[in-house]
Amino acid sequence: MDQLPSTLCCPKCNTQLVPRSHNELHGVCSGTCTTCGHRIRFRAVVNEMERELQPNPVCSVTLLVNGRQYRVPDVDLEVTLNDWLKEQPNLKGTKHMCQEGGCGACIVALTRYDIRQKKEVTKAINSCLFPLVAADGCSVTTTEGIGSSRSGFHQIQERLAEHNGSQCGFCSPGMVMNMYSLLKANSKPTKKQIEESFDGNICRCTGYRAILDAMKSFAVDENPIDIEDTPLRQCNGDCRMCSHSSCCQEGVALNGMKADAPTIVRCLGGSSGMTRFKPSSVEDALALLDKYKDTGVHIVSGDTGKGVFKYEKPAAVVVDITGISDLTAVSSDGKVLTVGSAVSLSVLIAELEKYQQQDMPQGSRLTKLALHLKKIANVAVRNVGTWAGNLMLTHIHANFPSDVFTIMQAAGAQLNIANSSGSKRFSLPDFLHVDMTGQIIVSIVIPFDEPNEHFLTFKVMPRHSNAHAYVNAGFRLVTTTSSSKTVGKTVAIVYGGIGPFAIKATKTEQYLVGKYLSSHDTLKGALSVLSSELHPDSPPAAASAAYRKSLALSLFYKFYLSVLGSTASQRLWSAPSSLYRVVSSGAQQYSSDPSKYPLTQPMPKIAAKLQASGEAVYVNDMPIFPNEVHGAFITSTQANAKLVSMDTSAALSMPGVLCCIGAGDIPAGGVNNWRCLKYETGQLPEPLFATDFVGYAGQSLGMVIADTQAHADAAARAVTATYSPQGQPILSIQDAIASNSFYPDTVKPLISGKGDPNDALKASKHVISGEIFCGYQYHFHMETQRCLTVPTDCGLDVYSSTQWMDYCQESVAQVLAVKKSSVNVTVKRIGGGFGGKIENSHLIAAGTSLAAYKLNRPVRVVANLDTNTQVVGVRPAFLARYQVGCDDSGKLNAIVMTVYCDVGVTNDEFFGDKFQSFIDNAYYCPHWKVTTHPCKTHTPTATACRAPGAAPAIFIMESIMEHVAKSLGKSAEDVRIINLYQEGQVTPYKQPLTYCSISSLWSQLVESCDFNARQAAVEAFNKANRWKKKGLSVIPLKYGIHWGGNSFSCVVSVFAGDGSVMVTTGGIEMGQGLVTKVVQVASSTLHVDIDLINTRPSNVLTAPNNSTTGGSVGSELCCAAVLSACRQLLEQMEPGRQQLPADATWQQVVVKCFGMGIDLQAKSWVDRSCTNVFNYNSYGVTCTEVILDVLTGEHQIIRTDMLYDCGESINPEVDVGQAEGAFVFGLGYWLSEHFIRDASTGQLLTKNTWEYKPPSAHDIPMDFRVSLLKNAPNPLGILRSKGGRDKRMNGLMDRDRGTDGQTRQTDGLMD
């Protein structure tokens, strides 16, 4: 063989070049001429005699990040790319939250040489799942690499910001890089392709509409860009002309780095003790499997399975097959398609879709497979995860619901499996029984369609994308002729989600052979046989066995109808198809007054571009301090138990672990209670670390301190505890009622009206009784709880992701027995809060600060998702039992209600009073009696969550209105209209409504959304379709704003010389636009340009004793504080201004005042009172239309129209975004987010993105229209505006009305 040449000749400038390094230089390589910048491709070949099975281990990894080359020595093979990026200076933009590939915050662009396509390709990947070692020889691009405030923002970053698609901003870098990766692969995508690509990015703030609009602006029919003409920095492609070496070489393997797999076995042995091989042939891979079969070998390609099974012990030997060209091959002989096992799901989908593009009838089965495969995971996972890996997960884990297995078995696919002795072909069921030790899947063989074949697959899941199935299914059937409805000999019925593995309904298959499908008896018999052989298991976190069996029968029925086609009754034609989602659209309407700008000016958030570029700093983005260590909480695994002992020995022996901290480390005088004594008068304390009794599973027992967050998390899981259970844990309201487990009632019953409400109830013509339950909701803030505490010579500097600095300061001080003044709390911004960081964050801050205090060194804690969901509280569940009295028209006379609320292990957050003040919603009833009871359970203490108390109360009231209407045979709209509040009426809490616009809003929305015509169309559709139904509903809303007890301060400083202004308040920016509105108010009041104003982080020095930012009043009251401070400042500057001409500039006035010794700083304190329950009310009306698949329960939201009275909005664009986000937050609450706990231990089973499903971008209304009420200034608000954006999460109540009474029966199924 030829030896590696000593020089290379540049074909462009003829310069003789020498590779910078010959080490490990093999295969096809590329580099850049250092003279002219021309890209050069060459092949480096080694002598065959050098091929060895295991060369000396190479412990380093070399990769490019944003054009810069990094060499990572002594790499830990368990470290992810995300872990490594977060440790690098100036690479903090890439975020992480779930570390499961389920949220998209960590997405980066990966460019590597594709050995199948023989070119470099760029893909979006989840950096939290992608091993750093797998990036060896690759190029990584993060959001910092494509644009910044210094080098110029990339158009993707700009458009996301300008469309108001970045609120808290934590998800924004992932959104940007997902779009960047798509454009690198396809510079002219369609709108549909763009929307489909955002199936794995979660945003909890915006409601997605603004994000999708921003990204769809790059569509081929909108305003596309040529991504290749957009350099990383401003050097126009000639790196010699700027100071950034190789800055334009993103996506290119440089300096002799390997661009494809080497021709020898590559071995990496890292500090973790693992060994990773990357063979270049199947033979080498099999030799490795044989050699290490007793050690334990894990074959990987994308290695995405650890997102599901993330705590499994890694194998000692890992074999990476991405460099084996034979395993990336795709071929067809016209009868079958053969696909190699290293082919990613994305590539497989593309290959299958080719047959649709070619319009080949025999490829219809393949295109249907492609459609189903798009429902697996998300784009970033499918880009690297392989179909074979998906199969191996179900081979290893019986409970893994592999879609690939189910649909490929139904398609009749087979596997080629090889070992050192040769290769054999197996059916998929047989594959489950194959011992894969020493064996490797080589390929899958997928047959094309048979003549007269009918093939269909289904996947029913909790949301429309990125979720595993409740049940998946594949059906294949061949009829005797093309027009015949007689079944031939080929029938396949396969289900996943029924048992541990996919099952084949063999008895039903046999029953159908030779049967005439148009006979009703055939259908009835098939369903009977199928029902008899379906026996769903009952995994604790799964949907009920009864539902899954019903679903399986329904899916078979849908397939059966698809075979019948037009011979079935016309009312059934729509049944077989899945609900189709069109490309979403939106419209926003509002008024603004240019004469008042910047007030009322629609503008994006001030920091939106910085958030999109990754420059916005969150707690974990702060630079690493010298001597810094990391902490993780040890959590309990048993509820309602005594803690007998705790064994930390295994944890202490793990790499990087320094020590464990517990209650015994609290200094003398400190208290083991993180709930502040100052605020929790009359309520129960909650220990920082449980020492005797453990109230709930997930309660903190201590902390592990280690050198990295990953080491700390792993060690915390290694701690074991022994418990003595104190009885069956009480885990729900129903359990509490049965066990009579209550706290004392701290909220008096709400009673209103003349006389006894029970007497009024008895006197009513109709008395309607019922019960309604609404469950729990996790906040799912994209930034989990996190804190950094740094000891200083003044005390402790605490950087906490909290909504309440004063409480944080108090909590830390009382645990450590130090003065509050020695605890300096600073908050720049937080990545979402929604109430979850009002109090819960202080447990994290107190523990972090205790560790820092004890060790006298900086400690950083970033709670992983499992800890975050288990250790802190969530929105509590409510159960209401009611009686309603009304007349024949449905007009309310009396409501008597008993309400139960699950408050958890302490009664800190009951929300009974909030519930009572929102239960009336928008309806007048003369007699009320509402009694609330706090239920004591063995779950975390409940906490505020977006619209706390209000959202459940309004849901319950709207359910009552639906019940009344149904009982009386009335339309719900008619019942609602006659009960709407009128101006001057008095609420049950005795507040007169001096302003009430709800009736006017109702009339306006009903007219603008064309309700009457659409309602008629819905009724016609429902009459014409038996198994698809539409629902249309109008929901009103009254939402009270309460200022009482809230205090905020503000400091405004003006700097002499340039007249620039600095503002800081006690409010916390968490995505709601607080800082933006503050700047608008300051600019308007001082009459200076917005560009002159800067803000600084909130801190307890400038804003001591401030209230929590919550309750929909933070922005409003901070604006009031800024208004006051600016007016005070102008008053102070007035003597200077008077000595200048009337046309003097701001800068001139500032200079004059400074010369006169005038103080150019002002501080204000706003402490608003409230004589009524609320200072004022916001009003809104929403109309939502949905379509429902009655057979499966699947739905799509067709259209939502929202009309919202927010007064004279300070920033309409921000307020629209808040309303949309709140609405989608509510979609999750009522449709897809569910809590399930283990009945014996109390452990939360829905603690991660695998089981907990907030809405995705594919769950929002397909047509989303939001309008702000015009010309409606609020004289009681700040600058005529209104708060209460969280109210709009209540706009989806009772969306499916019109589908009642639709039940599936075997009789008449073909009518």
Side-chain angles (χ1 to χ4, degrees):
M1 300 292 289
D2 295 334
Q3 297 300 307
L4 182 70
S6 58
T7 62
L8 301 169
C9 181
C10 175
K12 184 175 182 181
C13 68
N14 294 321
T15 300
Q16 294 297 308
L17 303 173
V18 178
R20 294 184 180 180
S21 173
H22 286 70
N23 294 336
E24 309 151 34
L25 190 59
H26 306 289
V28 176
C29 305
S30 65
T32 301
C33 175
T34 55
T35 301
C36 67
H38 182 70
R39 298 181 184 182
I40 302 170
R41 297 288 299 282
F42 62 94
R43 176 177 291 277
V45 183
V46 297
N47 192 297
E48 274 297 314
M49 293 180 65
E50 295 180 8
R51 292 176 60 89
E52 297 179 9
L53 186 59
Q54 183 180 359
N56 293 327
V58 178
C59 297
S60 66
V61 165
T62 307
L63 71 160
L64 291 175
V65 180
N66 301 330
R68 177 184 174 186
Q69 185 168 318
Y70 290 82
R71 182 179 180 276
V72 186
D74 195 29
V75 65
D76 184 337
L77 300 190
E78 293 186 72
V79 168
T80 67
L81 177 60
N82 187 270
D83 291 336
W84 179 81
L85 285 172
K86 297 302 291 183
E87 294 177 354
Q88 308 312 305
N90 305 317
L91 289 177
K92 302 294 186 180
T94 305
K95 305 294 186 274
H96 78 265
M97 185 272 281
C98 69
Q99 297 175 294
E100 299 165 350
C103 72
C106 68
I107 287 179
V108 298
L110 180 82
T111 301
R112 62 180 173 182
Y113 189 79
D114 187 296
I115 60 176
R116 186 179 68 88
Q117 301 183 62
K118 295 183 170 48
K119 65 177 183 178
E120 289 155 346
V121 296
T122 299
K123 301 277 189 181
I125 65 164
N126 293 112
S127 64
C128 73
L129 295 181
F130 201 79
L132 174 61
V133 65
D136 188 35
C138 299
S139 176
V140 175
T141 307
T142 71
T143 190
E144 298 98 331
I146 66 171
S148 69
S149 58
R150 291 175 177 265
S151 64
F153 293 108
H154 194 281
Q155 288 192 50
I156 300 174
Q157 297 164 339
E158 288 184 332
R159 293 192 197 179
L160 181 65
E162 290 164 357
H163 280 77
N164 196 33
S166 180
Q167 289 189 16
C168 87
F170 204 80
C171 71
S172 298
M175 298 286 183
V176 168
M177 295 315 299
N178 193 61
M179 188 66 210
Y180 177 83
S181 302
L182 175 63
L183 291 177
K184 288 289 288 184
N186 177 8
S187 62
K188 295 181 179 180
T190 65
K191 290 182 178 180
K192 185 170 182 61
Q193 287 172 330
I194 291 172
E195 283 208 0
E196 286 180 347
S197 73
F198 282 86
D199 60 354
N201 294 74
I202 298 296
C203 175
R204 196 58 151 166
C205 300
T206 65
Y208 297 104
R209 192 275 313 162
I211 296 172
L212 294 178
D213 281 359
M215 302 313 180
K216 285 183 294 187
S217 72
F218 293 97
V220 63
D221 52 347
E222 286 287 334
N223 187 16
I225 63 172
D226 188 342
I227 198 75
E228 300 299 338
D229 289 342
T230 308
L232 295 183
R233 295 190 176 91
Q234 309 303 310
C235 62
N236 298 318
D238 189 348
C239 298
R240 297 171 299 166
M241 303 301 294
C242 76
S243 59
H244 301 286
S245 176
S246 302
C247 67
C248 295
Q249 303 308 316
E250 166 271 334
V252 184
L254 298 177
N255 302 328
M257 291 169 57
K258 298 145 313 291
D260 73 342
T263 57
I264 64 169
V265 176
R266 177 168 171 77
C267 168
L268 283 146
S271 58
S272 63
M274 297 169 56
T275 304
R276 184 182 179 105
F277 293 95
K278 189 176 181 181
S280 58
S281 69
V282 174
E283 292 75 17
D284 284 345
L286 291 173
L288 289 167
L289 297 183
D290 274 350
K291 181 171 183 177
Y292 294 102
K293 61 184 178 182
D294 296 330
T295 306
V297 183
H298 185 197
I299 300 174
V300 301
S301 181
D303 204 15
T304 56
K306 63 187 178 187
V308 181
F309 304 102
K310 58 185 179 180
Y311 297 139
E312 288 190 344
K313 183 178 179 180
V317 175
V318 174
V319 177
D320 179 353
I321 62 171
T322 57
I324 303 177
S325 59
D326 289 345
L327 300 185
T328 65
V330 180
S331 63
S332 172
D333 62 2
K335 296 181 180 180
V336 298
L337 183 71
T338 303
V339 183
S341 60
V343 171
S344 71
L345 287 164
S346 290
V347 171
L348 175 57
I349 290 168
E351 290 292 332
L352 293 170
E353 286 181 332
K354 288 179 180 178
Y355 295 90
Q356 181 179 18
Q357 297 166 4
Q358 297 169 4
D359 195 26
M360 297 174 63
Q362 71 270 29
S364 63
R365 182 196 301 179
L366 305 187
T367 58
K368 290 174 183 177
L369 290 173
L371 188 64
H372 191 115
L373 290 171
K374 287 184 177 181
K375 299 178 183 179
I376 297 176
N378 56 65
V379 167
V381 170
R382 295 195 298 268
N383 280 342
V384 291
T386 64
W387 62 264
N390 190 281
L391 290 181
M392 281 305 301
L393 285 177
T394 201
H395 186 279
I396 299 169
H397 304 278
N399 61 338
F400 180 75
S402 170
D403 285 279
V404 174
F405 191 99
T406 300
I407 64 176
M408 290 300 180
Q409 182 180 356
Q414 293 183 310
L415 298 179
N416 289 322
I417 298 176
N419 56 33
S420 56
S421 301
S423 177
K424 291 184 179 180
R425 184 167 292 188
F426 294 88
S427 69
L428 282 159
D430 288 342
F431 157 70
L432 292 178
H433 304 289
V434 174
D435 181 356
M436 291 300 293
T437 304
Q439 305 206 80
I440 187 171
I441 299 174
V442 174
S443 61
I444 189 169
V445 180
I446 309 171
F448 285 5
D449 292 17
E450 297 180 49
N452 311 320
E453 178 181 288
H454 301 268
F455 180 75
L456 206 55
T457 70
F458 298 95
K459 181 176 184 178
V460 182
M461 47 189 175
R463 63 183 179 201
H464 293 103
S465 62
N466 200 19
H468 61 87
Y470 291 134
V471 172
N472 53 31
F475 303 95
R476 183 164 54 95
L477 179 150
V478 176
T479 54
T480 54
T481 66
S482 59
S483 59
S484 170
K485 300 304 176 186
T486 301
V487 181
K489 295 182 179 180
T490 300
V491 183
I493 301 173
V494 186
Y495 288 107
I498 299 298
F501 295 106
I503 66 164
K504 210 164 183 286
T506 53
K507 293 180 181 178
T508 309
E509 292 172 348
Q510 294 167 3
Y511 171 84
L512 285 171
V513 172
K515 294 292 194 301
Y516 182 57
L517 295 177
S518 295
S519 167
H520 185 275
D521 289 339
T522 299
L523 174 59
K524 190 173 182 180
L527 286 171
S528 176
V529 175
L530 183 58
S531 178
S532 69
E533 64 176 329
L534 292 177
H535 304 286
D537 57 0
S538 299
S544 71
Y547 168 68
R548 286 182 289 122
K549 181 172 182 176
S550 173
L551 195 54
L553 294 169
S554 293
L555 295 181
F556 171 77
Y557 175 55
K558 288 165 75 75
F559 171 68
Y560 194 103
L561 291 177
S562 75
V563 178
L564 291 180
S566 60
T567 63
S569 168
Q570 190 170 347
R571 292 181 69 231
L572 308 179
W573 286 1
S574 64
S577 63
S578 297
L579 297 176
Y580 180 73
R581 183 174 180 84
V582 301
V583 175
S584 67
S585 62
Q588 306 81 47
Q589 293 185 352
Y590 46 76
S591 60
S592 64
D593 186 350
S595 68
K596 296 178 181 177
Y597 283 3
L599 294 182
T600 79
Q601 182 177 358
M603 56 186 292
K605 284 188 55 189
I606 295 291
K609 291 182 182 179
L610 295 177
Q611 292 170 180
S613 67
E615 296 172 272
V617 176
Y618 302 82
V619 171
N620 199 37
D621 300 331
M622 296 183 65
I624 299 172
F625 283 81
N627 208 32
E628 180 182 309
V629 291
H630 299 258
F633 280 80
I634 303 164
T635 57
S636 65
T637 57
Q638 177 68 51
N640 188 28
K642 285 189 175 294
L643 180 61
V644 177
S645 64
M646 188 163 64
D647 184 359
T648 62
S649 58
L652 292 172
S653 67
M654 294 176 71
V657 175
L658 303 178
C659 65
C660 292
I661 289 177
D665 295 299
I666 295 175
V671 293
N672 185 19
N673 173 34
W674 64 268
R675 291 197 178 274
C676 293
L677 303 175
K678 170 183 175 182
Y679 296 105
E680 311 298 342
T681 305
Q683 296 179 322
L684 299 177
E686 190 161 351
L688 175 61
F689 302 128
T691 56
D692 179 28
F693 178 72
V694 177
Y696 63 93
Q699 189 167 0
S700 60
L701 305 179
M703 291 179 68
V704 173
I705 307 300
D707 59 345
T708 68
Q709 190 64 58
H711 284 160
D713 287 338
R717 293 192 298 271
V719 175
T720 58
T722 304
Y723 306 93
S724 174
Q726 301 299 293
Q728 183 73 15
I730 297 170
L731 303 174
S732 67
I733 291 175
Q734 292 80 1
D735 290 347
I737 294 173
S739 303
N740 196 31
S741 179
F742 301 102
Y743 288 105
D745 292 334
T746 56
V747 177
K748 294 181 179 179
L750 173 68
I751 300 175
S752 71
K754 297 180 180 179
D756 188 339
N758 285 298
D759 293 338
L761 185 70
K762 294 176 182 177
S764 301
K765 184 168 184 180
H766 299 279
V767 177
I768 300 164
S769 302
E771 178 177 297
I772 187 73
F773 174 82
C774 50
Y776 308 86
Q777 186 178 28
Y778 169 57
H779 308 82
F780 211 90
H781 31 71
M782 291 295 291
E783 179 196 39
T784 57
Q785 305 284 359
R786 48 195 66 184
C787 180
L788 168 63
T789 299
V790 182
T792 70
D793 56 356
C794 300
L796 297 174
D797 285 347
V798 180
Y799 303 93
S800 175
S801 180
T802 182
Q803 294 175 239
W804 196 352
M805 295 186 299
D806 185 55
Y807 196 131
C808 179
Q809 183 188 33
E810 183 82 22
S811 179
V812 171
Q814 79 178 22
V815 169
L816 300 181
V818 298
K819 298 187 295 292
K820 281 185 70 174
S821 59
S822 68
V823 180
N824 180 36
V825 179
T826 302
V827 183
K828 173 66 174 177
R829 61 174 58 83
I830 65 176
F834 316 114
K837 296 178 180 178
I838 291 178
E839 294 188 5
N840 292 341
S841 59
H842 312 315
L843 165 64
I844 308 299
T848 305
S849 299
L850 172 60
Y853 184 86
K854 173 181 172 59
L855 300 175
N856 195 29
R857 60 194 298 185
V859 176
R860 189 185 304 244
V861 173
V862 177
N864 59 57
L865 183 60
D866 285 8
T867 299
N868 208 77
T869 52
Q870 293 181 91
V871 79
V872 298
V874 297
R875 184 195 299 278
F878 283 81
L879 172 68
R881 293 170 176 169
Y882 58 85
Q883 291 180 291
V884 182
C886 62
D887 63 15
D888 287 336
S889 68
K891 194 170 185 64
L892 301 175
N893 181 47
I895 295 179
V896 176
M897 184 184 304
T898 300
V899 180
Y900 302 90
C901 174
D902 181 357
V903 300
V905 294
T906 77
N907 62 343
D908 177 61
E909 292 283 7
F910 176 22
F911 302 112
D913 54 343
K914 292 182 176 66
F915 182 95
Q916 290 180 353
S917 58
F918 284 96
I919 186 58
D920 57 328
N921 191 21
Y923 307 111
Y924 175 75
C925 178
H927 302 92
W928 287 87
K929 183 177 181 182
V930 180
T931 306
T932 55
H933 300 297
C935 297
K936 181 180 181 180
T937 63
H938 299 113
T939 62
T941 301
T943 193
C945 185
R946 207 162 192 170
I954 295 165
F955 170 77
I956 288 169
M957 187 63 202
E958 291 301 331
S959 299
I960 289 173
M961 300 304 286
E962 288 285 326
H963 193 178
V964 169
K966 184 176 180 180
S967 298
L968 299 179
K970 304 278 186 183
S971 78
E973 282 70 38
D974 288 343
V975 172
R976 287 186 169 103
I977 288 172
I978 64 172
N979 287 292
L980 289 176
Y981 270 120
Q982 303 299 316
E983 204 161 281
Q985 288 182 325
V986 179
T987 67
Y989 38 88
K990 300 178 175 56
Q991 180 165 347
L993 299 179
T994 57
Y995 170 81
C996 180
S997 61
I998 191 63
S999 293
S1000 174
L1001 286 168
W1002 179 286
S1003 300
Q1004 288 183 52
L1005 184 73
V1006 166
E1007 180 178 355
S1008 66
C1009 77
D1010 200 17
F1011 175 81
N1012 292 328
R1014 290 169 61 197
Q1015 180 63 37
V1018 164
E1019 292 172 358
F1021 178 90
N1022 290 345
K1023 185 176 181 180
N1025 293 273
R1026 181 170 185 183
W1027 300 116
K1028 294 283 197 314
K1029 300 295 178 181
K1030 290 185 178 180
L1032 184 67
S1033 183
V1034 180
I1035 302 294
L1037 189 74
K1038 172 178 65 68
Y1039 195 94
I1041 299 300
H1042 178 77
W1043 290 343
N1046 287 287
S1047 306
F1048 289 92
S1049 57
C1050 170
V1051 176
V1052 179
S1053 304
V1054 180
F1055 297 92
D1058 63 359
S1060 60
V1061 180
M1062 183 182 291
V1063 180
T1064 182
T1065 73
I1068 305 301
E1069 173 62 55
M1070 58 187 117
Q1072 81 279 47
L1074 182 150
V1075 167
T1076 303
K1077 290 184 177 182
V1078 158
V1079 169
Q1080 288 177 272
V1081 171
S1083 172
S1084 173
T1085 309
L1086 297 177
H1087 304 288
V1088 301
D1089 192 85
I1090 279 180
D1091 291 338
L1092 273 180
I1093 301 173
N1094 206 337
T1095 61
R1096 282 294 178 264
S1098 303
N1099 62 85
V1100 293
L1101 174 62
T1102 58
N1105 310 308
N1106 275 221
S1107 300
T1108 181
T1109 303
S1112 301
V1113 300
S1115 295
E1116 195 173 19
L1117 294 184
C1118 284
C1119 285
V1122 171
L1123 183 66
S1124 175
C1126 289
R1127 286 173 174 172
Q1128 179 185 329
L1129 185 62
L1130 291 176
E1131 185 177 338
Q1132 293 168 196
M1133 297 173 66
E1134 182 62 19
R1137 190 195 63 79
Q1138 289 183 355
Q1139 295 190 26
L1140 294 173
D1143 61 351
T1145 66
W1146 167 258
Q1147 285 81 359
Q1148 290 171 333
V1149 174
V1150 169
V1151 170
K1152 184 64 176 179
C1153 291
F1154 178 71
M1156 295 172 63
I1158 294 175
D1159 185 5
L1160 293 177
Q1161 184 183 74
K1163 183 179 187 301
S1164 68
W1165 171 262
V1166 170
D1167 185 14
R1168 295 299 176 106
S1169 60
C1170 185
T1171 56
N1172 289 310
V1173 172
F1174 299 118
N1175 290 78
Y1176 61 82
N1177 291 295
S1178 291
Y1179 297 94
V1181 182
T1182 299
C1183 177
T1184 295
E1185 180 179 355
V1186 304
I1187 184 169
L1188 174 73
D1189 188 325
V1190 180
L1191 291 169
T1192 65
E1194 296 170 292
H1195 67 274
Q1196 282 282 6
I1197 303 173
I1198 298 172
R1199 174 175 164 183
T1200 290
D1201 295 75
M1202 183 189 302
L1203 180 59
Y1204 159 36
D1205 176 5
C1206 67
E1208 185 176 276
S1209 173
I1210 293 175
N1211 187 326
E1213 191 168 323
V1214 166
D1215 286 345
V1216 165
Q1218 287 289 288
E1220 291 174 335
F1223 180 88
V1224 175
F1225 203 99
L1227 297 187
Y1229 183 31
W1230 287 297
L1231 296 178
S1232 64
E1233 299 177 43
H1234 308 290
F1235 261 59
I1236 302 173
R1237 295 186 181 276
D1238 183 272
S1240 60
T1241 67
Q1243 290 189 64
L1244 182 63
L1245 303 178
T1246 50
K1247 61 186 178 183
N1248 49 41
T1249 57
W1250 181 248
E1251 297 292 356
Y1252 195 81
K1253 300 297 181 183
S1256 73
H1258 297 167
D1259 296 291
I1260 69 171
M1262 292 183 283
D1263 185 351
F1264 202 174
R1265 310 183 189 193
V1266 178
S1267 300
L1268 305 184
L1269 184 64
K1270 299 178 180 179
N1271 304 315
N1274 175 28
L1276 302 177
I1278 307 302
L1279 295 171
R1280 303 166 298 281
S1281 69
K1282 286 186 177 182
R1285 262 67 67 187
D1286 284 351
K1287 64 177 183 151
R1288 296 315 316 151
M1289 71 174 291
N1290 299 293
L1292 189 73
M1293 313 289 187
D1294 311 306
R1295 67 209 173 281
D1296 292 335
R1297 186 169 40 76
T1299 65
D1300 293 331
Q1302 302 296 332
T1303 57
R1304 178 171 51 77
Q1305 301 173 346
T1306 56
D1307 293 332
L1309 285 173
M1310 296 171 66
D1311 299 331

